[in-house]
Amino acid sequence: MADAKPKTSPKAIKFLFGGLAGMGATVFVQPLDLVKNRMQLSGQGTKAREYKTSFHALFSILRNEGVGGIYTGLSAGLLRQATYTTTRLGIYTILFEKMTSSDGRPPNFFLKALIGMTAGAIGAFVGTPAEVALIRMTADGRLPAEQRRGYKNVFNALVRITKEEGVTTLWRGCIPTMARAVVVNAAQLASYSQSKQALLDSGYFRDDILCHFCASMISGLVTTAASMPVDIVKTRIQNMKMIDGKPEYKNGLEVLVRVVGKEGFFSLWKGFTPYYARLGPHTVLTFIFLEQMNRLYKTYVLDV
């Protein structure tokens, strides 16, 4: 009977497809990422904001930078997915298999959460250089021409950052980047299963695609609210410049204190709308692309 086991894709193919699916989804949601980053940097250090709302930001970018402007930093967004998603999936799969008992019983909920957070943190560390390039490229258009960094693409950004500021700058803000990944993974896992259960218990939902969609949207809301304060710290640190040889911020705590003190407590959630709007479609599109690639691979490779 052992010979009758169905053929499955090799691990390397699974990781490759995971990365490619994330990259495919990024092509569609990159404008939302750009708006989120601009919102988080808007009115830095003052109560006055460059953009009143996310829609105001989007229309200002379209008016001043053209349609191409909303896709600024796409190459960095794609590299982030290629590094972060592939590493995270790889680590998750390896740890999941290690924690699966010899009788084939999968790890319990808390172990799964721990595996997810560990994989997220390691993936975030590997993806930090692309993240730094993405933040800087998306922030450039809001500056006067003489202050812009003017990176041509993600590889040009990485080479110039290394030359001009040293290789360690590529990992600037890696602690808040890893912290955000841990918060996102923990919040997503816990809130999704809780909201799904609550919806089923209400009696209005069956365990079908509508229930999964509603649970995903609730989970996205909780995840966005929980992770945004960490995300604004990451964005500000990765975009900061040296002033008289000293960094604008010493650490993440200083960012939080200054944002709350100068811009108000709720400024920690600047860019909430595009962040939330990006989270759902990115996840859904990633799974759609992944399913399609797996189906094609099965049809043209495994079943041949």
Side-chain angles (χ1 to χ4, degrees), residues 4-304:
K5 250 178 86 171
K7 287 193 223 169
T8 57
S9 316
K11 275 199 190 80
I13 292 292
K14 285 178 183 169
F15 304 157
L16 174 70
F17 284 176
L20 287 173
M23 290 166 82
T26 295
V27 172
F28 291 90
V29 300
Q30 177 65 21
L32 293 168
D33 229 1
L34 174 83
V35 172
K36 187 265 298 179
N37 291 340
R38 292 282 179 94
M39 288 295 290
Q40 288 182 327
L41 294 166
S42 137
Q44 205 167 343
T46 63
K47 294 272 185 187
R49 296 185 181 193
E50 288 164 68
Y51 309 115
K52 295 182 187 77
T53 64
S54 300
F55 293 106
H56 177 222
L58 181 63
F59 291 127
S60 297
I61 294 161
L62 282 168
R63 190 173 60 246
N64 300 328
E65 299 164 51
V67 177
I70 62 168
Y71 273 95
T72 304
L74 178 62
S75 60
L78 293 173
L79 183 65
R80 177 179 65 174
Q81 285 301 321
T83 50
Y84 168 68
T85 307
T86 311
T87 306
R88 187 184 63 168
L89 278 174
I91 301 286
Y92 185 87
T93 308
I94 292 160
L95 290 177
F96 193 90
E97 284 175 3
K98 286 257 188 291
M99 300 284 185
T100 301
S101 56
S102 51
D103 61 357
R105 207 171 58 248
N108 62 34
F109 175 79
F110 291 107
L111 260 182
K112 274 187 202 164
L114 190 64
I115 292 168
M117 289 189 281
T118 306
I122 296 168
F125 179 80
V126 174
T128 298
E131 191 90 49
V132 171
L134 175 68
I135 295 297
R136 291 180 172 202
M137 287 171 82
T138 52
D140 232 20
R142 57 185 279 277
L143 297 169
E146 68 279 1
Q147 287 178 30
R148 288 180 190 174
R149 291 177 167 117
Y151 301 135
K152 293 183 184 74
N153 53 55
V154 65
F155 300 109
N156 174 251
L158 296 176
V159 168
R160 276 186 50 198
I161 292 167
T162 307
K163 266 195 203 158
E164 294 164 16
E165 301 168 61
V167 73
T168 53
T169 307
L170 294 175
W171 275 271
R172 181 179 281 170
C174 79
I175 301 297
T177 305
M178 290 164 77
R180 183 192 64 173
V182 169
V183 170
V184 164
N185 277 283
Q188 258 176 344
L189 271 170
S191 59
Y192 179 78
S193 52
Q194 283 295 105
S195 31
K196 184 181 163 189
Q197 197 53 52
L199 291 171
L200 291 172
D201 291 346
S202 73
Y204 293 107
F205 289 87
R206 287 197 308 272
D207 194 353
D208 55 16
I209 196 158
L210 176 65
C211 175
H212 301 167
F213 174 76
C214 292
S216 297
M217 294 312 282
I218 297 166
S219 167
L221 203 61
V222 174
T223 305
T224 303
S227 61
M228 280 218 78
V230 191
D231 195 64
I232 197 167
V233 169
K234 178 195 79 66
T235 301
R236 296 276 175 103
I237 285 179
Q238 289 174 337
N239 188 57
M240 73 180 176
K241 291 185 175 178
M242 293 291 186
I243 298 166
D244 300 327
K246 289 180 184 170
E248 274 179 80
Y249 304 104
K250 292 189 191 79
N251 51 49
L253 188 62
E254 190 188 343
V255 178
L256 286 174
V257 169
R258 277 167 61 179
V259 169
V260 172
K262 293 185 177 175
E263 300 166 49
F265 179 71
F266 290 104
S267 290
L268 293 175
W269 285 272
K270 270 182 188 173
F272 187 96
T273 308
Y275 191 106
Y276 178 54
R278 175 196 179 282
L279 207 62
H282 191 273
T283 307
V284 171
L285 287 166
T286 299
F287 282 118
I288 288 170
F289 287 131
L290 195 55
E291 289 296 334
Q292 293 309 308
M293 284 189 281
N294 284 332
R295 188 177 63 79
L296 291 169
Y297 186 78
K298 187 177 183 303
T299 306
Y300 294 106
V301 180
L302 294 180
D303 293 349
V304 172

